[in-house]
Amino acid sequence: MTEKDLLYDTILARSFSKNEQKRLGYGAFIASLLFVFTLCTVFKPFLSPLPIVELQLSVDAGLRMLRVTESQKPQALRSSNDVTSGDSEKLAIPTNQDNNITSNATTTPTLISSEDNNLSVSNETSLPNNHFDSFNCTTNATISKEQAISGEFSKGDIMEETMKPICNKLARTEFCELSGDVRIHGKSATVLAAITSAFSGNSTWQVKPYARKGDVAAMNRVREWTVKLTQNADQLENASFSRCVKSHSVPAVLFSLGGYSMNNFHDFTDIVIPLYTTARRFNGEVQFLVTNKNPSWINKFKETVRSLSNYDVIYIDEEDETHCFSSVIVGLHRHPEYFKELTIDPSNSEYSMSDFRRFLRDTYSLRNAAVTTRQSRRRRPRILILSRGRSRAFVNAGEIARAARQVGFKVVVAEANTGVASFAQTVNSCDVMLGVHGAGLTNMVFLPENAVVIQILPIGGFEWLAKTDFEDPSKGMNLRYLEYKIAPEESTLVRQYGRDHEIVRDPSAVAKRGWEMFKSVYLVQQNVSVDINRLKPVLVKAFELLRRQ
Ligand SMILES: *[C@@H]1O[C@H](CO)[C@@H](O)[C@H](O)[C@H]1NC(C)=O
Ligand SMILES: *[C@@H]1O[C@H](CO)[C@@H](O)[C@H](O)[C@H]1NC(C)=O
Ligand SMILES: *[C@@H]1O[C@H](CO)[C@@H](O)[C@H](O)[C@H]1NC(C)=O
Ligand SMILES: *[C@@H]1O[C@H](CO)[C@@H](O)[C@H](O)[C@H]1NC(C)=O
Ligand SMILES: *[C@@H]1O[C@H](CO)[C@@H](O)[C@H](O)[C@H]1NC(C)=O
Ligand SMILES: *[C@@H]1O[C@H](CO)[C@@H](O)[C@H](O)[C@H]1NC(C)=O
Ligand SMILES: *[C@@H]1O[C@H](CO)[C@@H](O)[C@H](O)[C@H]1NC(C)=O
Ligand SMILES: *[C@@H]1O[C@H](CO)[C@@H](O)[C@H](O)[C@H]1NC(C)=O
Ligand SMILES: *[C@@H]1O[C@H](CO)[C@@H](O)[C@H](O)[C@H]1NC(C)=O
């Protein structure tokens, strides 16, 4: 046993002592979360979607707590052979087990698409749910990802039939890609598909079409759909809703606007980006079918939705008439790794974050690149100070603005409470964005290339979240990232409770008393009074970064 195994066992022993779900406070377990994360990286080839940690996000704050559940087979971590988590499944067309892909298949599920463009087993979180032993990662087959995605193979390829997986259950999302005769009945949340390609495995799938699988609170707010596959079109004729009342000539994408929708961070990481990677390739010729009706969301993102689809969305839940398509995707694509937010994995997608940002710039008519300070005689670089109205507000925004002006910036102070299109313009007109950790920082997607993001961390142990939610994503967006962690004295909590109070000294102790308590203290009651002398070097650094590009 390695040291990590032992350490992990200790954590497990503590966390899994009873057959109960034990809520772990957020702050207290950042360390163990980091550890689990490291472990997952190390053990990833053998790990089904991160079996032990579920994250929950509060709708208002964009912050999480950890929940550890007993049910999820910690021993899978220890044995490379024990990859039995039912969490990760793929239904693919059959292959045999000897690495040669042929049409004469046994029923071993296989995996398609990987970090490179060749057909091989992904070393990411999406492993087949069983048959790991019989799986060999060194296939020589050379079928491009594009072919695998489109399901098209020319003669002479090793593949003789389509080998596109039909239903996929990955770490963070599940989706079915159906082509053939597909009929959708909203009222019963059923998709019937007589598909053209061969398939093996289950013919009935339950799918929640929202890309934050593993997050119980979010997924509880997502309607579950039943996808029934058949190769026999006659079976469709016998179904109660067989008759096509509305036939559509374009493909459809069915997705949910439940979950954490209307939280800006989640809107992008769970819906907008996945929707983009799923639907962009149709070039507008795609019908969106929305489950968990939410007209406010459609209105909030109307420009984006219009860019992706030439048709008005259909709220499908109440539809009693059968809608028919020849191609439907139920659910959305998402980066296959569990802890990746606001990110597209270009090896798993036709698109990258650069493509996504270019798409946003086209959609909202934005400029491409930040100014350099060399140009600054003509135009001073602008800094956006993101203000917040109720919680984690800047006590001294005026002083911050003055300091920024002294450094050489033109200052814009704004709160992200206008419409997306208008705020996108505001953000995009700036070269630096500074804000306290929170969903408002998601607006970094609208910053021009090479701009700088400054994230301010309140007290309470936000390092890991700050990194996962904004620092790592900013790098994928070709932005520069700076961080400023406040000292306890800069938090209003000190004024309120005193320097020696447990709340200031030991956030983890507060976290142990429960999520609501933690949230109310650090996310709601805490405002930030920045020490200008400490902040100023960060502003100077941002200014200098704009010169270097
Ligand atoms: C794959 O198929 C080729 C030709 O059909 C055969 O020569 C080779 O031995 C097979 N590979 C394996 C690993 O079975
Ligand atoms: C497929 O497998 C079956 C039984 O395993 C065998 O009878 C048949 O000849 C195989 N077909 C091809 C094309 O290899
Ligand atoms: C894909 O496989 C081919 C042939 O095996 C190889 O030449 C090529 O470098 C591979 N591509 C990648 C991206 O690994
Ligand atoms: C996946 O494989 C690629 C190439 O083999 C490697 O560079 C990468 O680090 C691997 N990723 C993980 C998470 O193991
Ligand atoms: C995979 O198959 C190749 C060729 O059949 C073999 O040399 C290799 O040892 C196998 N790898 C594993 C991990 O079984
Ligand atoms: C697989 O690729 C390796 C190296 O490219 C080659 O030596 C081997 O013969 C190939 N095996 C098959 C079955 O094509
Ligand atoms: C098929 O579905 C059942 C019930 O959902 C599940 O228990 C079983 O593991 C699935 N089998 C495969 C091969 O996916
Ligand atoms: C469909 O219904 C017809 C008549 O009711 C029956 O003969 C046929 O077997 C049914 N087909 C299926 C696939 O159930
Ligand atoms: C934080 O600042 C906001 C806005 O000024 C204010 O409404 C709120 O009461 C402040 N909260 C605390 C705990 O000071």
Side-chain angles (χ1 to χ4, degrees):
M1 254 196 177
T2 67
E3 220 174 286
K4 277 190 173 156
D5 287 324
L6 288 170
L7 180 52
Y8 186 68
D9 281 347
T10 316
I11 294 169
L12 285 179
R14 250 191 268 129
S15 313
F16 293 80
S17 53
K18 302 264 156 43
N19 276 7
E20 54 165 11
Q21 291 197 344
K22 189 171 176 184
R23 295 198 148 203
L24 301 181
Y26 153 74
F29 287 89
I30 288 301
S32 50
L33 174 56
L34 267 177
F35 167 71
V36 170
F37 184 47
T38 314
L39 193 96
C40 292
T41 312
V42 174
F43 286 79
K44 201 172 279 147
F46 312 121
L47 251 188
S48 280
L50 190 73
I52 46 146
V53 180
E54 292 172 2
L55 290 176
Q56 274 189 324
L57 260 130
S58 75
V59 175
D60 60 333
L63 285 172
R64 295 166 197 163
M65 65 176 295
L66 282 172
R67 173 186 288 182
V68 176
T69 50
E70 141 78 41
S71 62
Q72 299 192 294
K73 284 195 188 260
Q75 62 273 28
L77 283 171
R78 275 172 248 135
S79 157
S80 59
N81 293 327
D82 185 350
V83 181
T84 52
S85 162
D87 229 14
S88 180
E89 314 166 69
K90 277 209 171 191
L91 178 60
I93 72 99
T95 72
N96 61 9
Q97 300 185 2
D98 66 8
N99 299 331
N100 280 342
I101 295 166
T102 70
S103 59
N104 194 19
T106 63
T107 53
T108 307
T110 189
L111 262 221
I112 294 169
S113 112
S114 68
E115 66 285 335
D116 63 29
N117 276 343
N118 284 342
L119 182 68
S120 69
V121 173
S122 167
N123 60 356
E124 303 299 342
T125 49
S126 49
L127 288 165
N129 59 330
N130 45 30
H131 304 284
F132 186 79
D133 294 334
S134 65
F135 217 81
N136 185 322
C137 302
T138 57
T139 175
N140 274 1
T142 53
I143 292 168
S144 76
K145 188 180 70 175
E146 288 71 27
Q147 288 173 312
I149 286 170
S150 69
E152 287 162 11
F153 303 93
S154 61
K155 280 232 152 67
D157 278 327
I158 300 166
M159 272 305 300
E160 284 160 25
E161 294 183 23
T162 5
M163 54 170 307
K164 183 174 161 182
I166 294 162
C167 287
N168 304 265
K169 296 206 168 194
L170 308 182
R172 275 308 214 187
T173 189
E174 37 196 53
F175 57 91
C176 295
E177 301 188 299
L178 312 164
S179 43
D181 181 347
V182 188
R183 306 183 186 193
I184 300 183
H185 186 242
K187 270 206 162 150
S188 61
T190 308
V191 178
L192 275 189
I195 57 173
T196 45
S197 55
F199 66 95
S200 66
N202 279 340
S203 58
T204 300
W205 295 75
Q206 305 297 328
V207 175
K208 287 192 168 192
Y210 182 81
R212 198 167 192 85
K213 198 176 128 193
D215 186 319
V216 175
M219 298 313 281
N220 279 344
R221 293 180 217 151
V222 178
R223 192 172 189 218
E224 184 171 78
W225 285 72
T226 301
V227 177
K228 291 183 182 161
L229 308 176
T230 172
Q231 282 188 269
N232 180 357
D234 291 349
Q235 279 176 12
L236 293 189
E237 298 308 328
N238 285 16
S240 54
F241 55 90
S242 64
R243 212 166 57 82
C244 282
V245 179
K246 294 183 177 160
S247 289
H248 301 260
S249 58
V250 296
V253 173
L254 192 161
F255 62 98
S256 166
L257 293 179
Y260 294 138
S261 69
M262 298 312 280
N263 168 289
N264 206 45
F265 175 76
H266 290 286
D267 284 343
F268 278 93
T269 200
D270 300 345
I271 306 173
V272 173
I273 294 173
L275 187 60
Y276 168 80
T277 54
T278 309
R280 181 72 188 108
R281 63 173 140 127
F282 298 113
N283 235 326
E285 286 301 301
V286 60
Q287 174 67 59
F288 288 159
L289 305 175
V290 167
T291 184
N292 302 110
K293 179 174 178 172
N294 190 340
S296 312
W297 194 96
I298 295 294
N299 186 50
K300 177 179 177 184
F301 287 101
K302 54 181 177 290
E303 295 86 2
T304 302
V305 171
R306 224 181 281 134
S307 289
L308 288 172
S309 168
N310 302 333
Y311 304 89
D312 288 341
V313 304
I314 295 174
Y315 296 109
I316 193 73
D317 291 346
E318 292 308 312
E319 286 292 294
D320 203 10
E321 298 179 324
T322 303
H323 288 257
C324 296
F325 300 87
S326 59
S327 173
V328 175
I329 302 175
V330 181
L332 301 178
H333 299 172
R334 179 164 173 161
H335 194 295
E337 279 184 56
Y338 199 92
F339 291 113
K340 288 273 193 214
E341 306 289 0
L342 302 174
T343 304
I344 297 169
D345 178 6
S347 63
N348 263 288
S349 173
E350 302 144 85
Y351 303 102
S352 65
M353 270 315 270
S354 297
D355 296 329
F356 174 67
R357 275 162 47 76
R358 209 171 298 125
F359 164 80
L360 287 182
R361 289 198 288 260
D362 290 346
T363 298
Y364 293 99
S365 309
L366 307 174
R367 76 189 164 125
N368 285 336
V371 301
T372 72
T373 40
R374 273 170 298 186
Q375 303 168 332
S376 65
R377 255 179 240 114
R378 271 179 290 147
R379 180 190 178 283
R380 271 200 296 163
R382 288 153 66 102
I383 185 170
L384 171 63
I385 298 174
L386 265 183
S387 63
R388 294 173 55 100
R390 289 181 299 277
S391 61
R392 279 166 284 150
F394 285 122
V395 174
N396 58 342
E399 281 185 85
I400 299 171
R402 203 171 316 128
R405 262 180 232 115
Q406 284 165 7
V407 168
F409 287 109
K410 188 164 170 22
V411 176
V412 179
V413 180
E415 190 175 347
N417 56 6
T418 59
V420 173
S422 122
F423 205 68
Q425 294 286 346
T426 304
V427 171
N428 183 257
S429 73
C430 294
D431 309 288
V432 178
M433 182 171 85
L434 174 151
V436 181
H437 176 82
L441 285 180
T442 312
N443 288 295
M444 69 167 72
V445 294
F446 299 118
L447 282 170
E449 301 288 306
N450 291 313
V452 181
V453 176
I454 306 174
Q455 180 170 210
I456 312 272
L457 304 198
I459 63 170
F462 289 82
E463 288 77 5
W464 185 83
L465 271 182
K467 180 168 161 44
T468 309
D469 290 354
F470 301 115
E471 177 181 354
D472 291 347
S474 72
K475 292 181 176 152
M477 297 182 210
N478 199 16
L479 302 172
R480 273 79 65 82
Y481 177 85
L482 298 172
E483 195 166 284
Y484 178 86
K485 194 180 164 200
I486 70 168
E489 291 70 25
E490 297 169 72
S491 170
T492 52
L493 292 173
V494 169
R495 292 177 202 172
Q496 200 174 343
Y497 294 95
R499 185 71 180 79
D500 294 328
H501 195 281
E502 182 189 52
I503 280 175
V504 176
R505 272 189 304 103
D506 189 7
S508 61
V510 181
K512 277 181 197 144
R513 269 179 249 130
W515 171 241
E516 288 306 320
M517 172 76 175
F518 180 84
K519 193 167 97 170
S520 102
V521 172
Y522 296 101
L523 300 181
V524 179
Q525 293 181 36
Q526 178 171 210
N527 285 341
V528 170
S529 176
V530 178
D531 178 342
I532 297 299
N533 290 331
R534 282 186 67 222
L535 179 68
K536 211 159 178 180
V538 180
L539 296 173
V540 170
K541 180 84 192 288
F543 196 84
E544 280 170 358
L545 280 176
L546 290 175
R547 189 166 355 164
R548 278 191 262 129
Q549 53 177 299

